[in-house]
C-alpha cells in the first residue's frame, strides 16, 4: 500500500488563539522549544509553503528547505536565484500534486492566516502541529481568517508540554 503524503499546518498560537499581533511580526514571541520544533518539522518535510507576508518576516530563506511562496505581484526567485525559493499562484490542490510529483512526501504549510485558511478550505491538509504558548495577545491575527467549510474534526495524536508552559499538540485531520 502506498503511503499517503502528509500535508501539515505548523503554527504557534497564543492561549487566546492568535498567531501574531500583526501581519509583519516575526515569531520572536514563541519559546525556544517551539522554534526547535518548527525547524525539525520543516527540515523533515524539506518544503515549506507560505504567503509572501510570512516569507518577508524571514531575513533570508531558511537552510535545508525549499520555499514555495504565494504572491501575485512579486517573484521571490529573482531575489533568491539559487533554486531554493519559488513563487506560485497555484490552487492548493495543484501545488500539492506538483510537489508530490517532485518527490516530497511531507509538505509544511507555514502561514500566514490567508495561506492556512486557503489550505484548510481546500481539504488537502492531513495534520496540524500546533504550539500553544502561555501568553494572551487580546487582539491580532487568527490561525484562520475565513470560513472553514463544515466542521473539521481533529484526532489528537500526541501532546507534550515544557516546564515553561508551552504545549505541543499534534492532530490528524479527519
Amino acid at each position: 500500500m502506498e503511503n499517503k503524503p502528509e500535508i501539515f499546518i505548523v503554527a504557534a498560537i497564543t492561549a487566546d488563539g492568535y498567531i501574531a499581533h500583526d501581519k509583519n511580526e516575526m515569531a520572536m514571541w514563541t519559546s525556544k522549544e517551539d522554534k526547535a520544533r518548527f525547524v525539525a518539522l520543516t527540515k523533515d518535510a524539506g518544503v515549506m509553503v507560505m504567503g509572501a507576508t510570512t516569507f518577508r518576516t524571514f531575513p533570508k530563506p531558511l537552510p535545508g528547505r525549499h520555499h514555495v511562496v504565494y504572491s501575485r505581484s512579486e517573484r521571490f526567485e529573482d531575489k533568491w536565484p539559487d533554486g531554493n525559493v519559488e513563487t506560485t499562484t497555484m490552487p492548493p490542490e495543484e501545488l500539492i500534486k506538483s510537489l508530490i510529483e517532485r518527490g516530497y512526501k511531507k509538505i509544511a504549510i507555514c502561514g500566514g492566516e490567508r495561506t492556512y485558511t486557503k489550505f484548510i478550505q481546500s481539504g488537502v491538509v492531513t495534520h496540524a502541529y500546533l504550539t500553544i504558548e502561555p501568553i494572551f495577545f487580546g487582539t491580532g491575527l487568527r490561525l484562520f481568517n475565513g470560513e472553514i467549510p463544515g466542521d473539521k474534526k481533529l484526532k489528537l495524536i500526541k501532546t507534550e508540554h515544557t516546564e515553561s508552559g508551552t504545549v505541543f499538540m499534534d492532530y490528524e485531520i479527519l
Side-chain angles (χ1 to χ4, degrees):
M1 188 163 113
E2 189 177 323
N3 284 346
K4 188 176 179 186
E6 183 179 335
I7 318 308
F8 64 90
I9 286 173
V10 57
I13 61 176
T14 63
D16 57 345
Y18 295 99
I19 60 172
H21 286 98
D22 62 57
K23 68 180 185 168
N24 298 312
E25 180 176 31
M26 292 177 67
M28 299 312 293
W29 58 272
T30 68
S31 62
K32 68 181 188 308
E33 294 89 353
D34 172 66
K35 288 172 183 56
R37 176 174 151 104
F38 179 84
V39 167
L41 286 167
T42 57
K43 276 192 172 181
D44 182 52
V47 63
M48 302 167 53
V49 177
M50 66 195 75
T53 303
T54 298
F55 182 69
R56 283 190 210 99
T57 67
F58 300 128
K60 61 184 180 183
L62 302 176
R65 287 149 277 194
H66 184 68
H67 300 67
V68 180
V69 184
Y70 274 92
S71 178
R72 295 192 187 287
S73 60
E74 197 170 342
R75 287 185 37 86
F76 290 95
E77 51 272 88
D78 293 344
K79 184 172 182 181
W80 310 102
D82 65 358
N84 201 19
V85 179
E86 71 180 272
T87 307
T88 191
T89 57
M90 278 189 221
E93 302 87 348
E94 285 180 37
L95 177 61
I96 296 303
K97 183 176 186 245
S98 169
L99 291 170
I100 290 167
E101 286 171 355
R102 290 188 251 171
Y104 292 104
K105 307 258 187 277
K106 295 181 180 183
I107 300 164
I109 312 305
C110 300
E113 66 176 354
R114 284 189 309 234
T115 301
Y116 288 137
T117 300
K118 181 186 310 195
F119 275 80
I120 203 74
Q121 286 175 338
S122 75
V124 298
V125 179
T126 63
H127 291 79
Y129 297 101
L130 303 179
T131 300
I132 313 299
E133 293 287 8
I135 185 172
F136 291 137
F137 282 179
T139 63
L141 301 178
R142 294 271 182 198
L143 183 60
F144 302 113
N145 73 350
E147 190 174 311
I148 297 173
D151 291 340
K152 290 287 183 194
K153 301 283 186 195
L154 308 175
K155 178 182 176 186
L156 183 63
I157 304 298
K158 182 170 118 180
T159 62
E160 292 179 64
H161 64 85
T162 67
E163 284 187 29
S164 64
T166 298
V167 177
F168 301 120
M169 298 170 36
D170 300 355
Y171 290 101
E172 180 181 350
I173 298 178
L174 303 175

